[in-house]
Amino acid sequence: MGKDISQAVIRRMPRYYRYLGDLLEQGVERISSNELSAKMKVTASQIRQDLNNFGGFGQQGYGYNVQFLYSEIGKILGLEQQHNVIVIGAGNLGQALANYPKFKKLGFVIIGLFDINPKLKGETQSGVPVMMLEGLEDFAARHEIDIAALTMPKNNADKIANRLVNLGIHAIWNFAHVDLDLVDKDVVVENVHLSDSLMQLSYNMNMHQNAGEIKDFNGKRVERL
Amino acid sequence: MGKDISQAVIRRMPRYYRYLGDLLEQGVERISSNELSAKMKVTASQIRQDLNNFGGFGQQGYGYNVQFLYSEIGKILGLEQQHNVIVIGAGNLGQALANYPKFKKLGFVIIGLFDINPKLKGETQSGVPVMMLEGLEDFAARHEIDIAALTMPKNNADKIANRLVNLGIHAIWNFAHVDLDLVDKDVVVENVHLSDSLMQLSYNMNMHQNAGEIKDFNGKRVERL
């Protein structure tokens, strides 16, 4: 399932999941692709196409069962299982991740923060202990770790990432401002490059001022409302 | 210039800028698209195509002049001018943004943090003062603000975003886990949805385990090395 699905489609799935979760909270039981389209500001045909990648889930004349679609997308995203996460770097960003309650709700449980600053040793963030990086191997031997988030400066990122990979951690959530160069290429990396995002905003500001155009969620130009 | 350029191309430009900056630091004066391709792990033809959107910059048989290309891409990204940034939400994430030295180097200068927690009043982060949100209008009257970063919880995001828009701020860097619903649609928004990113990682972990496949930077499937 899902072998030939583009990353563009995958990028939209969490957004569907989020909207469906909101609908569930509001007690909505079913929704047509047109209604979902109006809410999410993507075309109904885009929604149908995206979901057809995974087998559809809709029923002609009925629309989508919100609870069913929500849990199916959850399965597609791998959310039916818990993921244990460690965070390397217990600075502001690492702390922000540890203190963000949403992750745990989605099954991403931060089980440890690591840093090299001895002043942080013994601290906790939302109950998550800050440990010294030298204890990483020992911790990894005693805990199952699914994902490592890297929030430390870029100059150490490759070295630490490869240390994690050698410990059998095959998923890295990389906030360091560098594309990782990994010994084992068989690792899944998701980058959050904040500077890149800010530069993209800056580009769009300039273009927007020049052209006065509006882009929708998918970056397509849309008519001015 | 750049009117018809897709967001996919734009997303790659900051990465070119980053690599060219590294090359400059290493004293590299010129580079062929093949060498740049090997470094960045995108095809040389992709690089040429991307840059041709903006007029090319390369010279047959010479390659690219690193300094020239770096500064041209900087201009494309709007980095030749300073952008004043305020951050709404002085929690961990807001503090992380204020303390990240890279942004200032790129010309994004954080000039104020705002929060509603009176305990934070009068604090500073890397010299940036934390102010109370009630003083936002007053601050906006006395300072030029180009970009507002939203790092507070999603339930207030729409309200505050619209307050910012009414103050004339037309670029929002949104970390709140919601797609903003803005009164004035003529606003540039760049979203950083951390949960979405984590779910995408989770999806790719599952698919990867199932299929054993590797994706390159652009999400294209590549041969195992």
PDB file of all heavy atoms in Angstrom, chain A residues 3 15 18-19 77-78 92 99 173 179 186 196-197 202 206 208 221, chain B residues 3 15 18-19 77-78 92 99 173 179 186 196-197 202 204 206 208 221:
ATOM      1  N   LYS A   3       2.954   2.551  -1.974  1.00  0.00           N
ATOM      2  CA  LYS A   3       4.358   2.532  -2.412  1.00  0.00           C
ATOM      3  C   LYS A   3       4.676   3.620  -3.433  1.00  0.00           C
ATOM      4  O   LYS A   3       5.770   4.108  -3.511  1.00  0.00           O
ATOM      5  CB  LYS A   3       4.687   1.175  -3.020  1.00  0.00           C
ATOM      6  CG  LYS A   3       4.965   0.149  -1.947  1.00  0.00           C
ATOM      7  CD  LYS A   3       5.515  -1.120  -2.568  1.00  0.00           C
ATOM      8  CE  LYS A   3       5.045  -2.323  -1.757  1.00  0.00           C
ATOM      9  NZ  LYS A   3       5.352  -3.573  -2.417  1.00  0.00           N
ATOM     10  N   ARG A  15      -2.678  17.166   7.169  1.00  0.00           N
ATOM     11  CA  ARG A  15      -3.652  18.258   7.177  1.00  0.00           C
ATOM     12  C   ARG A  15      -5.077  17.693   7.142  1.00  0.00           C
ATOM     13  O   ARG A  15      -5.948  18.167   7.859  1.00  0.00           O
ATOM     14  CB  ARG A  15      -3.372  19.167   5.984  1.00  0.00           C
ATOM     15  CG  ARG A  15      -4.143  20.455   6.028  1.00  0.00           C
ATOM     16  CD  ARG A  15      -3.514  21.512   5.139  1.00  0.00           C
ATOM     17  NE  ARG A  15      -4.354  22.698   5.139  1.00  0.00           N
ATOM     18  CZ  ARG A  15      -5.294  22.955   4.220  1.00  0.00           C
ATOM     19  NH1 ARG A  15      -5.487  22.115   3.215  1.00  0.00           N
ATOM     20  NH2 ARG A  15      -6.031  24.033   4.310  1.00  0.00           N
ATOM     21  N   ARG A  18      -5.821  16.487  10.600  1.00  0.00           N
ATOM     22  CA  ARG A  18      -6.102  17.601  11.507  1.00  0.00           C
ATOM     23  C   ARG A  18      -7.531  18.116  11.339  1.00  0.00           C
ATOM     24  O   ARG A  18      -8.263  18.305  12.315  1.00  0.00           O
ATOM     25  CB  ARG A  18      -5.089  18.711  11.200  1.00  0.00           C
ATOM     26  CG  ARG A  18      -5.221  19.961  11.967  1.00  0.00           C
ATOM     27  CD  ARG A  18      -3.868  20.655  12.167  1.00  0.00           C
ATOM     28  NE  ARG A  18      -3.006  20.693  11.001  1.00  0.00           N
ATOM     29  CZ  ARG A  18      -2.961  21.702  10.118  1.00  0.00           C
ATOM     30  NH1 ARG A  18      -3.772  22.738  10.270  1.00  0.00           N
ATOM     31  NH2 ARG A  18      -2.126  21.683   9.109  1.00  0.00           N
ATOM     32  N   TYR A  19      -7.958  18.316  10.105  1.00  0.00           N
ATOM     33  CA  TYR A  19      -9.315  18.820   9.865  1.00  0.00           C
ATOM     34  C   TYR A  19     -10.367  17.803  10.312  1.00  0.00           C
ATOM     35  O   TYR A  19     -11.391  18.175  10.899  1.00  0.00           O
ATOM     36  CB  TYR A  19      -9.500  19.184   8.394  1.00  0.00           C
ATOM     37  CG  TYR A  19      -9.048  20.592   8.091  1.00  0.00           C
ATOM     38  CD1 TYR A  19      -7.698  20.876   7.947  1.00  0.00           C
ATOM     39  CD2 TYR A  19      -9.953  21.645   7.991  1.00  0.00           C
ATOM     40  CE1 TYR A  19      -7.258  22.165   7.694  1.00  0.00           C
ATOM     41  CE2 TYR A  19      -9.519  22.939   7.739  1.00  0.00           C
ATOM     42  CZ  TYR A  19      -8.177  23.191   7.584  1.00  0.00           C
ATOM     43  OH  TYR A  19      -7.755  24.468   7.350  1.00  0.00           O
ATOM     44  N   LEU A  77      -0.769   7.102   8.384  1.00  0.00           N
ATOM     45  CA  LEU A  77       0.331   7.905   8.919  1.00  0.00           C
ATOM     46  C   LEU A  77       1.119   7.157  10.003  1.00  0.00           C
ATOM     47  O   LEU A  77       2.061   7.707  10.569  1.00  0.00           O
ATOM     48  CB  LEU A  77      -0.209   9.234   9.469  1.00  0.00           C
ATOM     49  CG  LEU A  77      -0.763  10.199   8.414  1.00  0.00           C
ATOM     50  CD1 LEU A  77      -1.479  11.368   9.071  1.00  0.00           C
ATOM     51  CD2 LEU A  77       0.363  10.705   7.522  1.00  0.00           C
ATOM     52  N   GLY A  78       0.712   5.933  10.289  1.00  0.00           N
ATOM     53  CA  GLY A  78       1.442   5.148  11.283  1.00  0.00           C
ATOM     54  C   GLY A  78       1.154   5.558  12.713  1.00  0.00           C
ATOM     55  O   GLY A  78       1.930   5.298  13.627  1.00  0.00           O
ATOM     56  N   ASN A  92      16.367  25.887  24.028  1.00  0.00           N
ATOM     57  CA  ASN A  92      14.992  26.375  23.897  1.00  0.00           C
ATOM     58  C   ASN A  92      14.144  25.494  22.986  1.00  0.00           C
ATOM     59  O   ASN A  92      13.009  25.160  23.326  1.00  0.00           O
ATOM     60  CB  ASN A  92      14.987  27.782  23.309  1.00  0.00           C
ATOM     61  CG  ASN A  92      15.585  28.813  24.245  1.00  0.00           C
ATOM     62  OD1 ASN A  92      16.484  29.547  23.875  1.00  0.00           O
ATOM     63  ND2 ASN A  92      15.093  28.874  25.464  1.00  0.00           N
ATOM     64  N   ASN A  99       7.806  20.166  25.722  1.00  0.00           N
ATOM     65  CA  ASN A  99       6.657  20.760  26.425  1.00  0.00           C
ATOM     66  C   ASN A  99       5.408  20.894  25.555  1.00  0.00           C
ATOM     67  O   ASN A  99       4.413  21.464  25.991  1.00  0.00           O
ATOM     68  CB  ASN A  99       7.043  22.150  26.961  1.00  0.00           C
ATOM     69  CG  ASN A  99       8.066  22.056  28.073  1.00  0.00           C
ATOM     70  OD1 ASN A  99       8.006  21.149  28.902  1.00  0.00           O
ATOM     71  ND2 ASN A  99       9.020  22.966  28.092  1.00  0.00           N
ATOM     72  N   TRP A 173      14.480  13.434  12.932  1.00  0.00           N
ATOM     73  CA  TRP A 173      13.735  14.676  12.735  1.00  0.00           C
ATOM     74  C   TRP A 173      14.753  15.796  12.911  1.00  0.00           C
ATOM     75  O   TRP A 173      15.116  16.118  14.037  1.00  0.00           O
ATOM     76  CB  TRP A 173      12.615  14.755  13.772  1.00  0.00           C
ATOM     77  CG  TRP A 173      11.518  15.720  13.472  1.00  0.00           C
ATOM     78  CD1 TRP A 173      11.161  16.221  12.256  1.00  0.00           C
ATOM     79  CD2 TRP A 173      10.598  16.287  14.412  1.00  0.00           C
ATOM     80  NE1 TRP A 173      10.078  17.060  12.385  1.00  0.00           N
ATOM     81  CE2 TRP A 173       9.720  17.116  13.693  1.00  0.00           C
ATOM     82  CE3 TRP A 173      10.428  16.168  15.797  1.00  0.00           C
ATOM     83  CZ2 TRP A 173       8.691  17.831  14.302  1.00  0.00           C
ATOM     84  CZ3 TRP A 173       9.410  16.875  16.413  1.00  0.00           C
ATOM     85  CH2 TRP A 173       8.541  17.687  15.667  1.00  0.00           C
ATOM     86  N   ASP A 179      21.977  19.554   5.680  1.00  0.00           N
ATOM     87  CA  ASP A 179      21.469  18.274   5.194  1.00  0.00           C
ATOM     88  C   ASP A 179      22.416  17.189   5.679  1.00  0.00           C
ATOM     89  O   ASP A 179      23.613  17.234   5.379  1.00  0.00           O
ATOM     90  CB  ASP A 179      21.403  18.288   3.663  1.00  0.00           C
ATOM     91  CG  ASP A 179      20.460  19.371   3.162  1.00  0.00           C
ATOM     92  OD1 ASP A 179      19.354  19.498   3.734  1.00  0.00           O
ATOM     93  OD2 ASP A 179      20.825  20.099   2.232  1.00  0.00           O
ATOM     94  N   ASP A 186      20.058   4.109   4.743  1.00  0.00           N
ATOM     95  CA  ASP A 186      18.748   3.491   4.932  1.00  0.00           C
ATOM     96  C   ASP A 186      18.036   4.090   6.149  1.00  0.00           C
ATOM     97  O   ASP A 186      17.534   3.389   7.012  1.00  0.00           O
ATOM     98  CB  ASP A 186      18.961   1.979   5.124  1.00  0.00           C
ATOM     99  CG  ASP A 186      17.710   1.199   4.768  1.00  0.00           C
ATOM    100  OD1 ASP A 186      16.771   1.794   4.228  1.00  0.00           O
ATOM    101  OD2 ASP A 186      17.702  -0.013   5.053  1.00  0.00           O
ATOM    102  N   ASP A 196      15.285  28.275   6.070  1.00  0.00           N
ATOM    103  CA  ASP A 196      14.773  28.090   4.707  1.00  0.00           C
ATOM    104  C   ASP A 196      13.328  28.563   4.626  1.00  0.00           C
ATOM    105  O   ASP A 196      12.912  29.224   3.663  1.00  0.00           O
ATOM    106  CB  ASP A 196      14.829  26.610   4.295  1.00  0.00           C
ATOM    107  CG  ASP A 196      16.262  26.131   4.024  1.00  0.00           C
ATOM    108  OD1 ASP A 196      17.209  26.847   4.393  1.00  0.00           O
ATOM    109  OD2 ASP A 196      16.427  25.038   3.460  1.00  0.00           O
ATOM    110  N   SER A 197      12.567  28.224   5.659  1.00  0.00           N
ATOM    111  CA  SER A 197      11.153  28.603   5.702  1.00  0.00           C
ATOM    112  C   SER A 197      11.009  30.125   5.732  1.00  0.00           C
ATOM    113  O   SER A 197      10.155  30.708   5.047  1.00  0.00           O
ATOM    114  CB  SER A 197      10.526  27.949   6.935  1.00  0.00           C
ATOM    115  OG  SER A 197       9.337  28.568   7.304  1.00  0.00           O
ATOM    116  N   SER A 202      10.104  35.337   2.848  1.00  0.00           N
ATOM    117  CA  SER A 202      10.662  36.583   2.333  1.00  0.00           C
ATOM    118  C   SER A 202      10.489  36.656   0.815  1.00  0.00           C
ATOM    119  O   SER A 202      10.075  37.685   0.264  1.00  0.00           O
ATOM    120  CB  SER A 202      12.134  36.666   2.738  1.00  0.00           C
ATOM    121  OG  SER A 202      12.826  37.589   1.963  1.00  0.00           O
ATOM    122  N   ASN A 206       8.140  39.448  -1.352  1.00  0.00           N
ATOM    123  CA  ASN A 206       8.597  40.271  -2.475  1.00  0.00           C
ATOM    124  C   ASN A 206       7.750  40.056  -3.715  1.00  0.00           C
ATOM    125  O   ASN A 206       7.329  41.004  -4.366  1.00  0.00           O
ATOM    126  CB  ASN A 206      10.048  39.920  -2.827  1.00  0.00           C
ATOM    127  CG  ASN A 206      11.007  40.529  -1.836  1.00  0.00           C
ATOM    128  OD1 ASN A 206      10.602  41.299  -0.977  1.00  0.00           O
ATOM    129  ND2 ASN A 206      12.270  40.177  -1.948  1.00  0.00           N
ATOM    130  N   HIS A 208       4.827  38.858  -3.927  1.00  0.00           N
ATOM    131  CA  HIS A 208       3.469  39.263  -3.654  1.00  0.00           C
ATOM    132  C   HIS A 208       3.316  40.763  -3.843  1.00  0.00           C
ATOM    133  O   HIS A 208       2.380  41.238  -4.483  1.00  0.00           O
ATOM    134  CB  HIS A 208       3.163  38.878  -2.213  1.00  0.00           C
ATOM    135  CG  HIS A 208       1.724  38.859  -1.910  1.00  0.00           C
ATOM    136  ND1 HIS A 208       0.886  37.896  -2.419  1.00  0.00           N
ATOM    137  CD2 HIS A 208       0.960  39.664  -1.152  1.00  0.00           C
ATOM    138  CE1 HIS A 208      -0.337  38.130  -1.978  1.00  0.00           C
ATOM    139  NE2 HIS A 208      -0.316  39.194  -1.221  1.00  0.00           N
ATOM    140  N   ARG A 221      -1.513  29.436  -7.978  1.00  0.00           N
ATOM    141  CA  ARG A 221      -2.048  30.778  -8.008  1.00  0.00           C
ATOM    142  C   ARG A 221      -3.559  30.724  -8.051  1.00  0.00           C
ATOM    143  O   ARG A 221      -4.152  29.915  -8.755  1.00  0.00           O
ATOM    144  CB  ARG A 221      -1.501  31.518  -9.228  1.00  0.00           C
ATOM    145  CG  ARG A 221      -1.614  33.027  -9.087  1.00  0.00           C
ATOM    146  CD  ARG A 221      -0.699  33.736 -10.037  1.00  0.00           C
ATOM    147  NE  ARG A 221       0.652  33.204  -9.911  1.00  0.00           N
ATOM    148  CZ  ARG A 221       1.255  32.482 -10.837  1.00  0.00           C
ATOM    149  NH1 ARG A 221       0.654  32.209 -11.957  1.00  0.00           N
ATOM    150  NH2 ARG A 221       2.469  32.029 -10.634  1.00  0.00           N
TER     151      ARG A 221
ATOM    152  N   LYS B   3       7.379  35.506 -11.753  1.00  0.00           N
ATOM    153  CA  LYS B   3       5.935  35.464 -11.540  1.00  0.00           C
ATOM    154  C   LYS B   3       5.347  34.059 -11.674  1.00  0.00           C
ATOM    155  O   LYS B   3       4.388  33.736 -11.029  1.00  0.00           O
ATOM    156  CB  LYS B   3       5.243  36.393 -12.543  1.00  0.00           C
ATOM    157  CG  LYS B   3       5.314  37.841 -12.101  1.00  0.00           C
ATOM    158  CD  LYS B   3       4.426  38.696 -12.959  1.00  0.00           C
ATOM    159  CE  LYS B   3       5.032  40.077 -13.116  1.00  0.00           C
ATOM    160  NZ  LYS B   3       4.375  40.846 -14.142  1.00  0.00           N
ATOM    161  N   ARG B  15      18.020  26.388  -0.142  1.00  0.00           N
ATOM    162  CA  ARG B  15      19.018  25.332  -0.026  1.00  0.00           C
ATOM    163  C   ARG B  15      20.227  25.649  -0.925  1.00  0.00           C
ATOM    164  O   ARG B  15      21.370  25.469  -0.513  1.00  0.00           O
ATOM    165  CB  ARG B  15      18.367  24.000  -0.420  1.00  0.00           C
ATOM    166  CG  ARG B  15      19.209  22.807  -0.079  1.00  0.00           C
ATOM    167  CD  ARG B  15      18.384  21.523  -0.061  1.00  0.00           C
ATOM    168  NE  ARG B  15      19.257  20.400   0.144  1.00  0.00           N
ATOM    169  CZ  ARG B  15      19.756  19.648  -0.837  1.00  0.00           C
ATOM    170  NH1 ARG B  15      19.443  19.902  -2.087  1.00  0.00           N
ATOM    171  NH2 ARG B  15      20.563  18.649  -0.556  1.00  0.00           N
ATOM    172  N   ARG B  18      22.193  28.242   0.897  1.00  0.00           N
ATOM    173  CA  ARG B  18      22.954  27.655   1.999  1.00  0.00           C
ATOM    174  C   ARG B  18      24.229  26.976   1.498  1.00  0.00           C
ATOM    175  O   ARG B  18      25.314  27.193   2.041  1.00  0.00           O
ATOM    176  CB  ARG B  18      22.031  26.649   2.708  1.00  0.00           C
ATOM    177  CG  ARG B  18      22.637  25.857   3.812  1.00  0.00           C
ATOM    178  CD  ARG B  18      21.586  25.501   4.877  1.00  0.00           C
ATOM    179  NE  ARG B  18      20.323  25.015   4.349  1.00  0.00           N
ATOM    180  CZ  ARG B  18      20.036  23.722   4.133  1.00  0.00           C
ATOM    181  NH1 ARG B  18      20.942  22.802   4.395  1.00  0.00           N
ATOM    182  NH2 ARG B  18      18.844  23.364   3.691  1.00  0.00           N
ATOM    183  N   TYR B  19      24.109  26.179   0.444  1.00  0.00           N
ATOM    184  CA  TYR B  19      25.287  25.479  -0.080  1.00  0.00           C
ATOM    185  C   TYR B  19      26.302  26.459  -0.656  1.00  0.00           C
ATOM    186  O   TYR B  19      27.509  26.300  -0.458  1.00  0.00           O
ATOM    187  CB  TYR B  19      24.874  24.448  -1.141  1.00  0.00           C
ATOM    188  CG  TYR B  19      24.499  23.120  -0.521  1.00  0.00           C
ATOM    189  CD1 TYR B  19      23.264  22.948   0.085  1.00  0.00           C
ATOM    190  CD2 TYR B  19      25.390  22.057  -0.501  1.00  0.00           C
ATOM    191  CE1 TYR B  19      22.920  21.751   0.676  1.00  0.00           C
ATOM    192  CE2 TYR B  19      25.055  20.846   0.094  1.00  0.00           C
ATOM    193  CZ  TYR B  19      23.814  20.696   0.672  1.00  0.00           C
ATOM    194  OH  TYR B  19      23.473  19.516   1.271  1.00  0.00           O
ATOM    195  N   LEU B  77      15.657  35.987  -3.085  1.00  0.00           N
ATOM    196  CA  LEU B  77      14.988  35.654  -1.828  1.00  0.00           C
ATOM    197  C   LEU B  77      14.662  36.899  -0.998  1.00  0.00           C
ATOM    198  O   LEU B  77      14.113  36.791   0.099  1.00  0.00           O
ATOM    199  CB  LEU B  77      15.853  34.685  -1.010  1.00  0.00           C
ATOM    200  CG  LEU B  77      16.008  33.283  -1.619  1.00  0.00           C
ATOM    201  CD1 LEU B  77      17.068  32.486  -0.875  1.00  0.00           C
ATOM    202  CD2 LEU B  77      14.673  32.540  -1.596  1.00  0.00           C
ATOM    203  N   GLY B  78      15.003  38.058  -1.513  1.00  0.00           N
ATOM    204  CA  GLY B  78      14.674  39.294  -0.804  1.00  0.00           C
ATOM    205  C   GLY B  78      15.587  39.566   0.373  1.00  0.00           C
ATOM    206  O   GLY B  78      15.241  40.325   1.282  1.00  0.00           O
ATOM    207  N   ASN B  92       8.923  28.684  25.059  1.00  0.00           N
ATOM    208  CA  ASN B  92      10.165  28.043  24.606  1.00  0.00           C
ATOM    209  C   ASN B  92      10.449  28.308  23.136  1.00  0.00           C
ATOM    210  O   ASN B  92      11.575  28.636  22.756  1.00  0.00           O
ATOM    211  CB  ASN B  92      10.099  26.528  24.807  1.00  0.00           C
ATOM    212  CG  ASN B  92      10.059  26.127  26.271  1.00  0.00           C
ATOM    213  OD1 ASN B  92       9.168  25.401  26.694  1.00  0.00           O
ATOM    214  ND2 ASN B  92      11.012  26.595  27.041  1.00  0.00           N
ATOM    215  N   ASN B  99      16.707  33.542  20.096  1.00  0.00           N
ATOM    216  CA  ASN B  99      18.095  33.220  20.436  1.00  0.00           C
ATOM    217  C   ASN B  99      18.875  32.571  19.298  1.00  0.00           C
ATOM    218  O   ASN B  99      20.030  32.189  19.479  1.00  0.00           O
ATOM    219  CB  ASN B  99      18.133  32.288  21.659  1.00  0.00           C
ATOM    220  CG  ASN B  99      17.659  32.997  22.910  1.00  0.00           C
ATOM    221  OD1 ASN B  99      17.955  34.172  23.110  1.00  0.00           O
ATOM    222  ND2 ASN B  99      16.905  32.305  23.748  1.00  0.00           N
ATOM    223  N   TRP B 173       4.570  34.243   9.832  1.00  0.00           N
ATOM    224  CA  TRP B 173       5.291  32.977   9.942  1.00  0.00           C
ATOM    225  C   TRP B 173       4.566  32.198  11.033  1.00  0.00           C
ATOM    226  O   TRP B 173       4.737  32.486  12.212  1.00  0.00           O
ATOM    227  CB  TRP B 173       6.740  33.273  10.319  1.00  0.00           C
ATOM    228  CG  TRP B 173       7.708  32.166  10.059  1.00  0.00           C
ATOM    229  CD1 TRP B 173       7.569  31.136   9.187  1.00  0.00           C
ATOM    230  CD2 TRP B 173       8.990  32.001  10.681  1.00  0.00           C
ATOM    231  NE1 TRP B 173       8.695  30.331   9.230  1.00  0.00           N
ATOM    232  CE2 TRP B 173       9.571  30.841  10.124  1.00  0.00           C
ATOM    233  CE3 TRP B 173       9.706  32.729  11.646  1.00  0.00           C
ATOM    234  CZ2 TRP B 173      10.841  30.386  10.514  1.00  0.00           C
ATOM    235  CZ3 TRP B 173      10.962  32.282  12.025  1.00  0.00           C
ATOM    236  CH2 TRP B 173      11.525  31.116  11.460  1.00  0.00           C
ATOM    237  N   ASP B 179      -4.548  26.315  10.221  1.00  0.00           N
ATOM    238  CA  ASP B 179      -4.444  27.154   9.026  1.00  0.00           C
ATOM    239  C   ASP B 179      -5.216  28.429   9.292  1.00  0.00           C
ATOM    240  O   ASP B 179      -6.409  28.386   9.582  1.00  0.00           O
ATOM    241  CB  ASP B 179      -5.015  26.416   7.813  1.00  0.00           C
ATOM    242  CG  ASP B 179      -4.254  25.132   7.530  1.00  0.00           C
ATOM    243  OD1 ASP B 179      -3.019  25.165   7.569  1.00  0.00           O
ATOM    244  OD2 ASP B 179      -4.909  24.097   7.294  1.00  0.00           O
ATOM    245  N   ASP B 186      -4.944  39.184   1.455  1.00  0.00           N
ATOM    246  CA  ASP B 186      -3.761  39.672   0.756  1.00  0.00           C
ATOM    247  C   ASP B 186      -2.534  39.638   1.678  1.00  0.00           C
ATOM    248  O   ASP B 186      -1.791  40.596   1.787  1.00  0.00           O
ATOM    249  CB  ASP B 186      -4.045  41.094   0.281  1.00  0.00           C
ATOM    250  CG  ASP B 186      -3.168  41.473  -0.899  1.00  0.00           C
ATOM    251  OD1 ASP B 186      -2.481  40.577  -1.430  1.00  0.00           O
ATOM    252  OD2 ASP B 186      -3.165  42.656  -1.255  1.00  0.00           O
ATOM    253  N   ASP B 196       2.585  18.096  11.755  1.00  0.00           N
ATOM    254  CA  ASP B 196       2.457  17.569  10.390  1.00  0.00           C
ATOM    255  C   ASP B 196       3.782  16.960   9.939  1.00  0.00           C
ATOM    256  O   ASP B 196       3.820  15.893   9.327  1.00  0.00           O
ATOM    257  CB  ASP B 196       2.059  18.677   9.404  1.00  0.00           C
ATOM    258  CG  ASP B 196       0.602  19.129   9.576  1.00  0.00           C
ATOM    259  OD1 ASP B 196      -0.006  18.768  10.596  1.00  0.00           O
ATOM    260  OD2 ASP B 196       0.093  19.834   8.695  1.00  0.00           O
ATOM    261  N   SER B 197       4.859  17.655  10.250  1.00  0.00           N
ATOM    262  CA  SER B 197       6.185  17.182   9.877  1.00  0.00           C
ATOM    263  C   SER B 197       6.500  15.842  10.551  1.00  0.00           C
ATOM    264  O   SER B 197       7.039  14.922   9.933  1.00  0.00           O
ATOM    265  CB  SER B 197       7.201  18.260  10.276  1.00  0.00           C
ATOM    266  OG  SER B 197       8.487  17.755  10.368  1.00  0.00           O
ATOM    267  N   SER B 202       6.673   9.830  10.359  1.00  0.00           N
ATOM    268  CA  SER B 202       6.088   8.555  10.769  1.00  0.00           C
ATOM    269  C   SER B 202       5.605   7.762   9.558  1.00  0.00           C
ATOM    270  O   SER B 202       5.843   6.552   9.434  1.00  0.00           O
ATOM    271  CB  SER B 202       4.943   8.839  11.748  1.00  0.00           C
ATOM    272  OG  SER B 202       4.090   7.753  11.866  1.00  0.00           O
ATOM    273  N   ASN B 204       6.715   7.993   6.491  1.00  0.00           N
ATOM    274  CA  ASN B 204       7.868   7.529   5.726  1.00  0.00           C
ATOM    275  C   ASN B 204       8.613   6.388   6.432  1.00  0.00           C
ATOM    276  O   ASN B 204       9.179   5.519   5.776  1.00  0.00           O
ATOM    277  CB  ASN B 204       8.811   8.700   5.423  1.00  0.00           C
ATOM    278  CG  ASN B 204       8.266   9.580   4.310  1.00  0.00           C
ATOM    279  OD1 ASN B 204       7.619   9.101   3.379  1.00  0.00           O
ATOM    280  ND2 ASN B 204       8.502  10.881   4.400  1.00  0.00           N
ATOM    281  N   ASN B 206       7.128   4.029   8.200  1.00  0.00           N
ATOM    282  CA  ASN B 206       6.325   2.834   7.908  1.00  0.00           C
ATOM    283  C   ASN B 206       6.542   2.340   6.487  1.00  0.00           C
ATOM    284  O   ASN B 206       6.762   1.166   6.251  1.00  0.00           O
ATOM    285  CB  ASN B 206       4.834   3.139   8.076  1.00  0.00           C
ATOM    286  CG  ASN B 206       4.445   3.192   9.527  1.00  0.00           C
ATOM    287  OD1 ASN B 206       5.261   2.868  10.392  1.00  0.00           O
ATOM    288  ND2 ASN B 206       3.230   3.598   9.801  1.00  0.00           N
ATOM    289  N   HIS B 208       8.951   2.964   4.548  1.00  0.00           N
ATOM    290  CA  HIS B 208      10.338   2.583   4.387  1.00  0.00           C
ATOM    291  C   HIS B 208      10.564   1.151   4.890  1.00  0.00           C
ATOM    292  O   HIS B 208      11.178   0.335   4.226  1.00  0.00           O
ATOM    293  CB  HIS B 208      11.169   3.559   5.207  1.00  0.00           C
ATOM    294  CG  HIS B 208      12.602   3.557   4.838  1.00  0.00           C
ATOM    295  ND1 HIS B 208      13.049   4.069   3.656  1.00  0.00           N
ATOM    296  CD2 HIS B 208      13.693   3.110   5.490  1.00  0.00           C
ATOM    297  CE1 HIS B 208      14.354   3.946   3.596  1.00  0.00           C
ATOM    298  NE2 HIS B 208      14.768   3.359   4.696  1.00  0.00           N
ATOM    299  N   ARG B 221      12.017   8.588  -5.554  1.00  0.00           N
ATOM    300  CA  ARG B 221      12.627   7.336  -5.163  1.00  0.00           C
ATOM    301  C   ARG B 221      13.982   7.196  -5.861  1.00  0.00           C
ATOM    302  O   ARG B 221      14.115   7.480  -7.048  1.00  0.00           O
ATOM    303  CB  ARG B 221      11.719   6.163  -5.547  1.00  0.00           C
ATOM    304  CG  ARG B 221      12.054   4.901  -4.766  1.00  0.00           C
ATOM    305  CD  ARG B 221      10.921   3.921  -4.818  1.00  0.00           C
ATOM    306  NE  ARG B 221       9.678   4.563  -4.423  1.00  0.00           N
ATOM    307  CZ  ARG B 221       8.693   4.862  -5.254  1.00  0.00           C
ATOM    308  NH1 ARG B 221       8.743   4.573  -6.502  1.00  0.00           N
ATOM    309  NH2 ARG B 221       7.608   5.444  -4.793  1.00  0.00           N
TER     310      ARG B 221
END
